[in-house]
Amino acid sequence: MTKLLPSLYLITDRQQIQEGHQLIGVVEELLQAGIKMIQLREKDLSAAELYPLAKELRTLTHQHKSLLLVNDRIDLAQAVGADGVHLGHHSLPIKMARKILGLNSLIGASTHSVAEIESAQNQGADFVTYGPVYFTPSKAIYGAPTGIESLQDVCKKCKIPIYALGGIKANNIQATLQAGAHGVAMISALLAGPTPTQAYQEISVLL
Ligand code: 3NM
């Protein structure tokens, strides 16, 4: 089955939301603006804390015909009827996630090299994120930026759709697409500013 993957992928981080605002409110604003794919990624929250958040996001994403993926937690994705999961190094193997979730669920994976992309591809992932392509405020956690040439290289070598991730902003989207990325994944450029709708509008016209 061919799965249609939007070119813009929002990853959540409620700690980057402006003071006085809530994650749900900002996500709803972005859904109203037109965002079609969201990953719930709040790594410091327990399953008990994530569940109501995921449920609320599921209701909202259904209303706006948007895809919802859950970071790491296959059980939580199943519990709320999410469209899929996004897996990292510490997650269950992609192959096992595919076995549990079946062919209709979306499985994304975080990657940082050609070898990781090929492994994700071989295990049945639908897409990968690759990065950090540029400097990101949280860069220390993800390592040095790969740079645009490296993105171009992996896009040439791998067939699976690749989302450029890490420091992606309006002014570098074009370069990532020219490098061969299927789309872009972002946190701060969409979530962290004072006007998320305006940020979405500026970004979405470039994709
Ligand atoms: N993963 P921003 S970089 C969550 O390289 C994440 O795997 C990365 O945030 C990786 O869009 C990153 O604000 C942070 O730069 C992306």
Side-chain angles (χ1 to χ4, degrees):
M1 170 190 149
T2 315
K3 294 165 183 165
L4 286 178
L5 291 169
S7 49
L8 182 54
Y9 185 23
L10 168 68
I11 304 172
T12 74
D13 180 356
R14 71 192 193 296
Q15 278 156 5
Q16 292 195 38
I17 303 278
Q18 296 250 316
E19 234 182 282
H21 295 264
Q22 298 281 318
L23 177 66
I24 288 288
V26 173
V27 170
E28 189 168 12
E29 194 179 324
L30 288 168
L31 284 164
Q32 275 160 2
I35 195 112
K36 291 292 170 209
M37 185 171 173
I38 298 173
Q39 178 195 148
L40 173 61
R41 182 182 185 277
E42 301 296 329
K43 288 180 108 52
D44 60 318
L45 296 185
S46 67
E49 292 165 319
L50 282 167
Y51 177 62
L53 196 53
K55 238 172 49 171
E56 207 167 340
L57 285 182
R58 177 69 293 186
T59 303
L60 289 172
T61 48
H62 264 157
Q63 279 167 7
H64 293 276
K65 298 187 171 40
S66 174
L67 297 169
L68 175 66
L69 284 85
V70 174
N71 182 273
D72 184 51
R73 307 274 324 217
I74 297 166
D75 52 352
L76 188 62
Q78 288 184 310
V80 301
D83 298 289
V85 288
H86 191 104
L87 304 175
H89 285 132
H90 304 291
S91 304
L92 275 179
I94 296 164
K95 215 188 280 184
M96 187 48 62
R98 177 61 73 204
K99 204 168 162 181
I100 296 168
L101 291 170
L103 289 176
N104 289 335
S105 287
L106 276 173
I107 298 181
S110 298
T111 67
H112 308 90
S113 65
V114 171
E116 286 181 7
I117 298 173
E118 281 173 351
S119 166
Q121 205 169 268
N122 294 339
Q123 291 186 66
D126 294 294
F127 69 91
V128 298
T129 54
Y130 177 77
V133 178
Y134 298 105
F135 283 105
T136 162
S138 32
K139 63 181 186 258
I141 313 168
Y142 306 109
T146 65
I148 196 76
E149 292 81 13
S150 163
L151 176 67
Q152 191 166 15
D153 182 53
V154 299
C155 290
K156 235 183 247 159
K157 289 180 176 152
C158 305
K159 285 201 194 79
I160 193 166
I162 295 172
Y163 286 85
L165 171 63
I168 309 296
K169 298 180 173 52
N171 67 4
N172 54 32
I173 286 176
Q174 207 145 28
T176 67
L177 298 179
Q178 275 163 8
H182 169 85
V184 293
M186 40 175 72
I187 303 176
S188 54
L190 284 169
L191 278 186
T195 53
T197 298
Q198 199 181 324
Y200 172 82
Q201 286 163 350
E202 282 166 16
I203 287 162
S204 61
V205 293
L206 301 167
L207 288 156

